């Protein structure tokens, strides 16, 4: 028993050939779409849809996620590629054509780089839309894990980022002529399917976070902090059993150190925000940036908070449930 790698023919889809055979044309230029790119795009769409729903439940305008994604996605892709190239310099600066640095479609997006640069894009997007940064990242956390799960399928199609040899029944088949195949191992050796481990870890983590959010209001960035702890913990193990080359620091892969830092950052953010903010976020928007602040709407429905309520709830932005209820009562006409 084992997990077969997909055929090399599945790594890309020849758009030109499909167009010619379907419409009887004779196009000569070659256009193909990589399976890796399709997985990344599906992950982005899934994350956008889930984050949009979570932002709406917090009182944000419908589809404001598009304005945020315009900033986050490009920054995330650039950051993910940058961190991957920096942590695998021999793959790009060992005599290969320099343009491969930009060949994202061939695979190679590091999640930690995407998070770091994506955070910059998120800050800029939140400043433009008026959405609180903490509200956005808390809404994003489950969608981010879903996007990462889709992205790992791209690694599966590319036959890359597999783990150490294993005799377990779910070992992954890798062709012996694969450039990443460990030297000295006989053909037919099975490897840990780290892509599958990470998919399951992310999906399980997404379910855990959604379940926690259903019962406990983790706001002020604490849901995202939980994501950092969850993903970083799993990534330390997945990264430690991978066989692909990576830069080392003190004999440990750089990504293991970064995953450890992600866990530490998550714990720090959760602790600090729990002490600083004992109440709930008064609004999805920064003070004075809400869509209804120009005119008072006395109708209060669901979990949507009004700016008038926010101002009465306190300038610090903190409130508890009793305070919020009292504030709503005093502003209802």
């Amino acid at each position: 028993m084992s997990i077969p790698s997909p055929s090399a023919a599945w790594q890309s889809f020849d758009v030109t050939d499909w167009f010619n055979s379907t419409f009887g044309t004779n196009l000569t230029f070659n256009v193909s779409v990589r399976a890796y790119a399709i997985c990344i795009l599906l992950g982005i769409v899934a994350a956008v849809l889930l984050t949009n729903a979570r932002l709406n439940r917090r009182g944000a305008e419908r589809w404001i996620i598009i304005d945020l994604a315009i900033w986050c996605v490009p920054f995330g892709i650039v950051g993910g590629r940058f961190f991957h190239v920096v942590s695998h310099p021999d793959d790009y600066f060992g005599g290969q054509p320099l343009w491969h640095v930009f060949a994202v479609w061939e695979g190679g997006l590091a999640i930690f780089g995407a998070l770091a640069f994506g955070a910059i894009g998120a800050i800029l997007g939140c400043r433009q839309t008026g959405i609180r940064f903490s509200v956005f990242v808390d809404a994003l956390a489950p969608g981010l894990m879903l996007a990462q799960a889709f992205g790992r399928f791209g690694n599966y199609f590319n036959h890359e980022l597999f783990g150490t040899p294993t005799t377990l029944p779910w070992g992954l088949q890798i062709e012996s002529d694969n450039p990443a195949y460990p030297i000295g191992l006989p053909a037919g050796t099975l490897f840990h399917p780290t892509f599958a481990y990470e998919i399951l870890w992310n999906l399980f983590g997404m379910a855990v976070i959604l379940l926690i959010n259903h019962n406990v209001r983790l706001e002020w960035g604490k849901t995202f902090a939980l994501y950092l702890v969850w993903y970083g913990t799993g990534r330390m193990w997945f990264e430690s059993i991978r066989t692909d080359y990576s830069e080392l620091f003190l004999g440990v892969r750089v990504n293991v150190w970064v995953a450890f830092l992600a866990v530490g950052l998550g714990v720090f953010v959760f602790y600090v925000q729990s002490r600083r903010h004992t109440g709930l976020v008064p609004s999805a928007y920064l003070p004075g940036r809400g869509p209804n602040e120009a005119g008072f709407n006395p109708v209060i429905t669901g979990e949507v908070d009004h700016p008038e309520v926010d101002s009465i709830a306190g300038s610090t932005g903190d409130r508890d449930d009793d305070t919020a209820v009292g504030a709503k009562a005093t502003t209802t006409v």
Side-chain angles (χ1 to χ4, degrees):
M1 295 180 62
S2 60
I3 300 176
S5 288
S7 168
W10 286 80
Q11 291 185 0
S12 63
F13 174 69
D14 194 327
V15 178
T16 303
D17 182 66
W18 173 83
F19 200 90
N20 287 338
S21 60
T22 303
F23 299 101
T25 56
N26 190 29
L27 301 177
T28 56
F29 57 85
N30 182 34
V31 176
S32 60
V33 178
R34 302 277 298 191
Y36 180 87
I38 294 174
C39 292
I40 295 295
L41 291 175
L42 287 175
I44 292 173
V45 171
V48 164
L49 293 175
L50 180 55
T51 305
N52 177 67
R54 287 170 59 81
L55 280 174
N56 293 162
R57 286 196 293 270
R58 284 159 172 75
E61 292 179 278
R62 292 185 61 187
W63 298 114
I64 198 171
I65 183 62
I66 301 298
D67 298 320
L68 293 162
I70 288 174
W71 289 96
C72 296
V73 173
F75 271 81
I77 292 176
V78 171
R81 186 62 175 178
F82 174 79
F83 193 86
H84 172 77
V85 171
V86 169
S87 59
H88 297 78
D90 289 350
D91 292 343
Y92 301 96
F93 305 108
Q96 301 86 340
L98 188 60
W99 67 266
H100 279 286
V101 169
F102 306 100
V104 179
W105 56 89
E106 295 180 349
L109 289 175
I111 181 60
F112 293 119
L115 287 174
F117 279 58
I120 298 174
I123 291 172
L124 296 174
C126 287
R127 291 187 64 178
Q128 182 189 56
T129 60
I131 292 289
R132 292 177 187 266
F133 179 75
S134 65
V135 170
F136 172 59
V137 295
D138 281 343
L140 173 66
L144 188 58
M145 303 186 87
L146 183 59
Q148 289 176 240
F150 273 102
R152 283 309 179 197
F153 274 112
N155 299 136
Y156 174 55
F157 283 107
N158 278 358
H159 303 189
E160 61 186 2
L161 308 189
F162 46 87
T164 53
T166 181
T167 57
L168 294 170
W170 54 81
L172 178 66
Q173 299 176 16
I174 295 293
E175 65 280 7
S176 58
D177 59 350
N178 187 311
Y181 199 91
I183 299 176
L185 292 180
T189 300
L190 301 180
F191 301 89
H192 280 288
T194 49
F195 81 92
Y197 297 161
E198 194 161 333
I199 289 173
L200 294 175
W201 183 253
N202 283 323
L203 293 179
F204 185 47
M206 180 186 70
V208 169
I209 288 179
L210 290 175
L211 181 62
I212 291 175
N213 279 181
H214 182 72
N215 295 281
V216 182
R217 294 286 293 272
L218 288 180
E219 300 182 331
W220 300 106
K222 287 182 283 188
T223 296
F224 190 77
L226 184 60
Y227 155 78
L228 290 175
V229 173
W230 181 277
Y231 180 71
T233 301
R235 182 60 184 268
M236 281 190 286
W237 180 67
F238 306 141
E239 188 70 25
S240 65
I241 65 171
R242 276 171 41 174
T243 58
D244 60 299
Y245 170 79
S246 180
E247 288 292 294
L248 302 179
F249 179 70
L250 299 179
V252 179
R253 293 168 68 97
V254 169
N255 279 329
V256 174
W257 286 110
V258 178
F260 178 76
L261 292 176
V263 173
L265 177 61
V267 172
F268 175 78
V269 169
F270 195 96
Y271 174 76
V272 170
Q273 293 298 79
S274 295
R275 292 181 62 88
R276 289 183 60 190
H277 303 286
T278 57
L280 302 179
V281 175
S283 171
Y285 293 89
L286 294 167
R289 300 293 302 276
N292 298 323
E293 300 216 12
F296 173 57
N297 182 354
V299 179
I300 300 176
T301 59
E303 297 180 3
V304 181
D305 298 312
H306 289 270
E308 291 82 358
V309 177
D310 299 341
S311 62
I312 294 176
S315 59
T316 62
D318 281 9
R319 62 173 185 169
D320 55 28
D321 291 333
D322 293 334
T323 304
V325 172
K328 290 181 179 179
T330 59
T331 56
T332 302
V333 178

